[in-house]
Amino acid sequence: MERKVQEHTMTATLSSFMTDFMYDPDWARVDPASVPNIVTALPGPASNALHARSAEHMKGYSTQVRLFPVAFDKGHGVTLTDVDGNTYIDFSSGIYVTSLGHCHPKVSEAIARYAKTLMNCHDFTTPVKTWLLEKLASISPGDLNGVQLYDSGATAVEAGLRLMRAATGKSEFISFSNGFHGKTLGAASLGHMDSTQGLRAPGFVRAPGPYPYRCIWGDDVDDCGVRCVENLRDVIKQQTTGRVAGVVVEPIQGWAGSIIPTDRFMPALRDLCDELGLLLMADEVLVGMGRTGKMFCVEHWDVVPDLITTGKGFGNGFPVTAILISDKIKDAVEKISASTSYGGNPMACAAALASIEVIEEEGLCARSTALGDLLMARMERMKDEHPIIGDVRGKGCILGIELVKDRVTKEPFPEAGSLVYQKAFSRGLAWIPAGHILRMSPPLIMEDEVALKAMEIIDEAIGETEREFGYR
Ligand SMILES: Cc1ncc(COP(=O)(O)O)c(C=O)c1O
């Protein structure tokens, strides 16, 4: 009898994950009339005081914070509340992270359970890690059955570079203009952002990437992307020693301003990599896990890369990331140790597994598409009304509005971008600026009425900004 109980406990431990946990499906529902709820001038007095104390010591705040130094206290579902008691609509999911809403009950419970059971055991196997690995292999595209787990997007990208070197014996990499892949040396060397103050590792080459609104190859938008791929042949000849391990690409560029390539770009890139014997790594840290309407962004084009990174929404706020590895290279990389202090710790695995289950159980890929379509239609109408909107674009819940001084010259309008950002924030919209491109990435669970209210705030802020710059 005793033995039977033991066996039963063992089986349960080895195959079940939170099957006993239930939560109210309406946990995040808000009355659209009640948000945002602004009760002080913004930023409020408590925010200002706390931020001033913090800024004494915290060096290097982002532009986002410098433009609007609010101090947040709580997050629930699609809202954030600051230390003055003002409640904002969160139109950026933290920073593309809390796709399931702040403090999703299942994710919070998963983390809490493992915080009380086992917080760290290096890279030893645990039940919850095994379930996560199996889950990832079951949902990943094609033969991407290998997994390594990390704790930030940048460390997953660095792992990808290590793996590509190991698999090919080559050490040069090609990435695309305007890209962003993180702030460690290798990741920053792939990217466009000068976050390393000019420090760039050798062997990294950046080529023009697709940007349909500003295609450098001419006006034939259908060609945009394909021309970028064809150009890589020349880039390899002219700018590398020919020892290229692979190409790293954001299937949709997030930081650059929600830049969506034409449909032919990713398939053409896969074909070229196959032809030239290069590995292809898709950096999906920002665009994976349902953000664009598919679990993995590359699924939009039926492309299977050799490696995929995922992060941000992967743990819905818990720092957990992964790199998925194709069977094709798995033997070559077997000896590249994946162990880190925190990668794959039980809390991280629980958060990621719970998040994937929520995306599936709540149908959030389909929800992302539906909400994105609704917001795109609203943005198209805004474009008709606002002369400073040059372009609107989106796929699922990654959206962008590009502001220009003149629709013919397409001169970027960053001054307007900052002002619209601040004006909308002052009205209760927590979101992200990117120079002249407004970026929206609402939680996938946001209800239509709340999302439309957020868009209304942006619409008003653009109108007011146009008046201040003499466009109306
Ligand atoms: C595509 C992409 N890769 C990597 C990173 C780096 O992620 P982290 O900030 O978690 O290091 C980011 C961050 O925004 C990203 O957008």
Side-chain angles (χ1 to χ4, degrees), residues 207-224:
Y211 194 163
Y213 179 60
R214 294 181 186 277
C215 181
I216 60 166
W217 309 110
D219 291 335
D220 185 351
V221 167
D222 257 5
D223 251 14
C224 173

Side-chain angles (χ1 to χ4, degrees), residues 152-154 157 180-182 250 255 283 285-286 312:
S152 74
V157 168
F180 181 71
H181 301 277
E250 285 175 88
W255 271 105
D283 183 356
V285 163
L286 191 146
K312 292 193 181 271

